[in-house]
Every structure is written in structure tokens, then in C-alpha cells.
Amino acid sequence: MEKAVSFYPSQVLLTAGATPAIKILSFCLADAGNAFLVPTPYYAGFDRDVKWRTGVEIIHVPRRSADNFNLSTAALDRAFSQEKKRGLKVLGIIISNPSNPVGNLLRRETRHSLLDSAR
């Protein structure tokens, strides 16, 4: 059985879709020049809504068609380490699930390992 999640109504934000939510979070969590890791291929609107409007950098994390576009924590770790060496402050990972544009779903184990590596 899943663990119960509790929250307060003041912690809930409703938006008309994922794009405004991601844009709002980008404005709230990051400053121009900060960065988010984004697995590729990704929703093209992220360039407009995150990078151009907020000034937050999008760091590409490559996924391969040969691997069914699965995301690996090793690829995320590599991208994070490279950007840290460049002096860029990476504040998070933007993941859409199901993936836009390829449509695959992250398995439960993958989601848990992503959360563990993000901590």
C-alpha cells in the first residue's frame, strides 16, 4: 500500500496545464543564470517558457533511441558534474512523465532512483 501524502490547501497551485506550472516554478525557484537539467528530446516549449522568459539555462541530458529514450541517473550525474565544474548552479531536473515528445513512461524504480540521486 502506498504511503499517505498530506498537504495544506495553501500548498496547492492550480494551473491550466503543465507549461504554466513549470514556468511559475522556474520563476520561483531560480534566478537568471541558474540551470535545470532536462532530458532530451524534450518539449520544445521549455526553450520559450523556461529559458527565454526566465533566463534559466536548460542543460541537455542525452537519451538515446537505442535505449528507448530511458533516462539514467548516470547521465544526470554526468551532466550535473560537468555544469558544476563550469560554475553553473543546477537547481533541479525538469521531467515530463509521460515524456513529451517521445511518449514513454518512467518506471517506478526509475522515478525512485531519480529522487534518490536528486537528494
Side-chain angles (χ1 to χ4, degrees):
M1 177 173 266
E2 296 287 322
K3 293 181 182 178
V5 176
S6 61
F7 60 90
Y8 297 101
S10 63
Q11 296 173 313
V12 176
L13 173 68
L14 297 177
T15 65
T19 300
I22 291 168
K23 184 170 50 174
I24 289 167
L25 285 170
S26 297
F27 274 116
C28 292
L29 298 176
D31 294 318
N34 293 152
F36 288 113
L37 301 177
V38 179
T40 61
Y42 62 89
Y43 170 59
F46 287 164
D47 287 323
R48 174 194 65 229
D49 296 323
V50 175
K51 185 175 183 172
W52 299 339
R53 290 186 179 159
T54 67
V56 174
E57 295 294 321
I58 292 176
I59 306 303
H60 299 163
V61 180
R63 294 184 294 177
R64 302 173 339 141
S65 61
D67 297 328
N68 197 30
F69 296 104
N70 286 316
L71 180 59
S72 74
T73 55
L76 285 168
D77 290 342
R78 263 192 312 279
F80 179 80
S81 296
Q82 287 173 346
E83 298 311 316
K84 189 174 179 182
K85 286 178 186 174
R86 284 184 45 214
L88 200 56
K89 187 175 181 179
V90 177
L91 296 177
I93 308 163
I94 298 176
I95 296 173
S96 66
N97 189 38
S99 176
N100 183 349
V102 296
N104 61 340
L105 291 168
L106 292 174
R107 295 187 330 254
R108 179 185 298 255
E109 301 82 34
T110 303
R111 293 190 313 260
H112 285 256
S113 68
L114 290 171
L115 286 171
D116 288 339
S117 78
R119 293 180 186 155

